[in-house]
Amino acid sequence: GSGNNTRRFSLDRERKERKKTPHTCIRTLLLFHDVVVLLGKSKRDYTYQLGNVWIRDVCDSDVQSVFQLVTPETTHTLVCPTQEIKKSWLDRLDRCIRRELRTVTEEWATELLTGIFPRSKQTHDEDPENGSSDESGRQAHNAASGALSGSSPVVDDWYDRHYVNRVGSYKFADGRSYEGEWHGGHCHGLGRMHYADGSIYEEVYEGYWKGDRRHGEGSWRSGDNEYLGPWKDGQMDGKGSYTWANGDLYFGNWKEGKREGIGRMLYNSGGVYEGMWVDNRREGKGVFITRTDKYEGMWLR
């Protein structure tokens, strides 16, 4: 940005009453038309796209001139010399964030979410062998419209104005990249996460999120391993299917990331087990069929 689009804020670090308020050691804040830059005391600088910044006014603080900049990875607590200066910065940040969010069009958001939705939507009651229905276009359009309706804040309360759903992308410091819906700096709603662990296997999750955790319908794959179904608090939970790299396939109930309850396992050797599972093991009533044999009865660990 040009000099005319820059605002400079030097933090007063001498006020003793600030000791009760934890805050990032920020020396200077620079505001451009599309990014905000925080210059740290120990040669640590932070640069964020305004579309990935949320503002929170810390009204319950003992020091009334405090506000926070919330990002997907860090929350920076900033202390202003006076409440008037704080209000001025909140207004400036508000205007710049609003202007940046207006560049996110509904068409772009719909296209992004439509690209994610088909892999993540398979109903709980559908067997992967029998296929699934697809209403991805309409569902994604509704999701995008709902997210964008909060992208232009119109209410007065600071929390409601800035902790709203958005659609956008972000690359984390550890190499992960996310694109989809956000809420208050958290992956929340429909989105896609690419994981980068340095291995040759690509790991991707596409589906629903809640507070940075996989939650709701979604698909996960790493190399030739793939899971399709519901999640709860970051773990496979509900009726879903898992395919292993060796060709084994399980379809049935999951609980806290483990096979639990009724399920069917198709082994690459040709065998089939259908029955009860406990803690990832066959336990309880079930039937196992191979090309030559069949056993039906109770199973123990």
Side-chain angles (χ1 to χ4, degrees), residues 41-110:
K41 292 172 56 178
S42 57
K43 298 182 180 180
R44 176 72 187 276
D45 301 336
Y46 307 85
T47 301
Y48 302 106
Q49 295 289 329
L50 288 174
N52 295 322
V53 174
W54 286 256
I55 305 172
R56 182 164 62 188
D57 185 1
V58 186
C59 299
D60 59 349
S61 172
D62 293 336
V63 182
Q64 296 299 315
S65 56
V66 177
F67 71 93
Q68 292 180 329
L69 294 183
V70 181
T71 74
E73 295 186 88
T74 309
T75 296
H76 299 277
T77 302
L78 304 177
V79 182
C80 302
T82 66
Q83 292 190 51
E84 290 73 20
I85 292 178
K86 181 185 80 169
K87 183 178 183 304
S88 175
W89 273 98
L90 291 177
D91 290 341
R92 292 170 182 172
L93 286 162
D94 178 36
R95 289 196 302 269
C96 290
I97 291 174
R98 289 192 192 200
R99 183 170 58 244
E100 181 67 14
L101 291 178
R102 291 192 190 102
T103 65
V104 180
T105 65
E106 183 173 343
E107 291 75 15
W108 176 85
T110 301

Side-chain angles (χ1 to χ4, degrees), residues 11-190:
L11 299 177
D12 179 3
R13 295 163 291 172
E14 304 301 327
R15 302 274 296 274
K16 293 182 180 180
E17 61 267 26
R18 295 179 191 172
K19 293 182 179 180
K20 296 182 180 180
T21 305
H23 61 278
T24 310
C25 295
I26 298 301
R27 174 170 47 85
T28 303
L29 185 151
L30 302 175
L31 177 60
F32 297 86
H33 71 282
D34 57 345
V35 299
V36 59
V37 180
L38 306 177
L39 304 181
K41 292 172 56 178
S42 57
K43 298 182 180 180
R44 176 72 187 276
D45 301 336
Y46 307 85
T47 301
Y48 302 106
Q49 295 289 329
L50 288 174
N52 295 322
V53 174
W54 286 256
I55 305 172
R56 182 164 62 188
D57 185 1
V58 186
C59 299
D60 59 349
S61 172
D62 293 336
V63 182
Q64 296 299 315
S65 56
V66 177
F67 71 93
Q68 292 180 329
L69 294 183
V70 181
T71 74
E73 295 186 88
T74 309
T75 296
H76 299 277
T77 302
L78 304 177
V79 182
C80 302
T82 66
Q83 292 190 51
E84 290 73 20
I85 292 178
K86 181 185 80 169
K87 183 178 183 304
S88 175
W89 273 98
L90 291 177
D91 290 341
R92 292 170 182 172
L93 286 162
D94 178 36
R95 289 196 302 269
C96 290
I97 291 174
R98 289 192 192 200
R99 183 170 58 244
E100 181 67 14
L101 291 178
R102 291 192 190 102
T103 65
V104 180
T105 65
E106 183 173 343
E107 291 75 15
W108 176 85
T110 301
E111 181 180 357
L112 170 62
L113 298 181
T114 301
I116 299 172
F117 201 89
R119 290 186 57 81
S120 68
K121 183 57 179 174
Q122 180 174 12
T123 64
H124 296 258
D125 299 325
E126 288 170 331
D127 190 314
E129 294 180 346
N130 298 326
S132 63
S133 60
D134 182 14
E135 300 180 17
S136 59
R138 179 179 59 81
Q139 297 276 8
H141 175 81
N142 292 341
S145 300
L148 288 171
S149 65
S151 294
S152 298
V154 293
V155 295
D156 292 331
D157 184 79
W158 273 101
Y159 185 89
D160 291 335
R161 288 168 68 183
H162 297 284
Y163 277 66
V164 294
N165 289 334
R166 302 178 187 173
V167 177
S169 59
Y170 184 84
K171 185 170 184 179
F172 292 82
D174 60 8
R176 292 175 297 145
S177 60
Y178 174 84
E179 51 186 358
E181 294 183 287
W182 299 84
H183 184 82
H186 298 286
C187 303
H188 193 96
L190 186 61

